[in-house]
Amino acid sequence: DGGARRPEAAQAAGGCKESTSSASPSDMSQKRLIPLYTVSDNPSEVFTTRFSPDGKLLAAGCGDGTVRVYNAANGRLAYELRNSKGREAMPVTGLRFRPLGASKTKNVLLAVNADGSVSHWHVTSGKCLHTIKDDNNQLYCVDYRPDGAIFATAGKDFTVRVYDEATKTLMSEMCTGVGSATPGHSNRVFSLKFNPTDPNIMISGGWDNTVQIWDLRVEHAVRSIYGPHICGDAVDIYDNTILTGSWRTKNQLEMWDYNSGEKIADIPWNQSVVHSATPAMLYC
């Protein structure tokens, strides 16, 4: 995109383009998404998708535990990253490509799974480089800091964990109990995003109808926004604006001011390209 960068949570997975170029909230009702192509031969449900940093690959995390990587130009399957569990495999719930420049090794994909595992995959060779496992948890989301030096995961146990990318060791666990003095999540967490302009800040959202703002320097949430019902990879932040997508029939797509926590705008969310009488709810 040659224009201003838009929050990724508002982009349609699978390769779509917008029919208008304006990105102001007042013009959102005039925008429509036009599919470039449709991948219809995937043998399993898709839980999450992610484009590679160069835009050439599209990775899809699937319900059978496989990551399928497609050529973004034509939608053809290029690579399959399979675990060894076969029919016992749990869904791949979150994906992030390692940022360019973070290492000499390119095409590294970080995948989290509902079985509690975090795996580093080398896409072009199909090799699993490293796995971190938490048997007592389910993971639903992951994100890299823009410099690629650290990454974070979250899921069923309400806790945000931060890891060192080079050593794969746990650096911090950020959580809170219900009624604690500092804010935090009280239900499952489904989306994580580092602030691209502040390496110490990340945001998260989940089933508890809140977006939490975390500060790595104090290792807990410093404030929260109430309202969004996040059920997938549907939180993003850019230029002091937070974008949220909610799994509900009203006020699905909202913009919030990062500093004040006040809502900036409700973005009208029209029906999908497949006509339906049921309002479209947002997952990612």
Side-chain angles (χ1 to χ4, degrees):
D1 191 338
R5 179 188 179 277
R6 297 180 179 86
E8 291 165 349
Q11 297 176 353
C16 291
K17 64 180 179 180
E18 295 167 317
S19 59
T20 63
S21 59
S22 174
S24 65
S26 61
D27 294 333
M28 288 296 181
S29 62
Q30 305 298 319
K31 300 175 75 64
R32 292 183 61 83
L33 297 175
I34 303 172
L36 294 179
Y37 56 79
T38 300
V39 178
S40 59
D41 59 350
N42 194 323
S44 181
E45 303 96 332
V46 175
F47 281 73
T48 182
T49 60
R50 199 71 181 178
F51 283 100
S52 60
D54 60 9
K56 295 181 179 180
L57 299 174
L58 175 64
C62 301
D64 61 1
T66 300
V67 178
R68 293 176 174 87
V69 184
Y70 296 88
N71 185 316
N74 55 30
R76 294 176 181 171
L77 182 65
Y79 308 99
E80 281 190 308
L81 311 177
R82 295 179 177 272
N83 62 36
S84 59
K85 292 189 175 181
R87 293 183 179 181
E88 297 179 358
M90 298 286 283
V92 175
T93 50
L95 295 171
R96 287 293 187 272
F97 280 90
R98 188 161 64 190
L100 295 176
S103 171
K104 294 181 180 179
T105 305
K106 299 180 180 180
N107 295 315
V108 173
L109 179 67
L110 189 59
V112 296
N113 194 288
D115 67 4
S117 64
V118 189
S119 298
H120 285 75
W121 290 91
H122 185 240
V123 173
T124 51
S125 70
K127 294 181 179 180
C128 184
L129 305 177
H130 191 271
T131 297
I132 303 168
K133 186 68 184 296
D134 182 356
D135 292 321
N136 299 316
N137 196 17
Q138 294 179 357
L139 295 178
Y140 305 133
C141 53
V142 63
D143 196 37
Y144 271 111
R145 197 168 68 182
D147 62 5
I150 63 176
F151 64 89
T153 67
K156 183 179 179 180
D157 68 354
F158 322 158
T159 302
V160 175
R161 292 176 174 84
V162 182
Y163 295 86
D164 180 87
E165 169 65 13
T167 64
K168 311 297 188 292
T169 55
L170 182 65
M171 297 173 56
S172 177
E173 291 183 298
M174 299 187 293
C175 62
T176 184
V178 177
S180 174
T182 57
H185 285 294
S186 60
N187 211 324
R188 303 183 185 209
V189 184
F190 283 90
S191 188
L192 272 177
K193 188 70 177 181
F194 278 94
N195 188 333
T197 60
D198 188 334
N200 296 304
I201 300 296
M202 72 173 71
I203 60 174
S204 61
W207 274 359
D208 60 3
N209 298 324
T210 72
V211 171
Q212 300 292 332
I213 300 173
W214 306 87
D215 191 325
L216 298 181
R217 292 165 295 192
V218 295
E219 297 187 314
H220 62 70
V222 292
R223 61 183 187 275
S224 59
I225 296 171
Y226 180 79
H229 184 63
I230 308 299
C231 295
D233 192 4
V235 168
D236 203 359
I237 179 171
Y238 181 71
D239 197 21
N240 287 322
T241 298
I242 294 174
L243 180 69
T244 60
S246 294
W247 184 258
R248 59 193 180 200
T249 58
K250 295 181 179 179
N251 306 121
Q252 300 99 320
L253 197 56
E254 299 168 295
M255 297 174 66
W256 308 81
D257 181 77
Y258 165 75
N259 293 311
S260 69
E262 297 294 324
K263 186 189 291 189
I264 298 173
D266 285 304
I267 303 172
W269 185 252
N270 300 322
Q271 297 295 330
S272 64
V273 291
V274 178
H275 295 291
S276 171
T278 303
M281 300 184 288
L282 288 180
Y283 179 74
C284 60

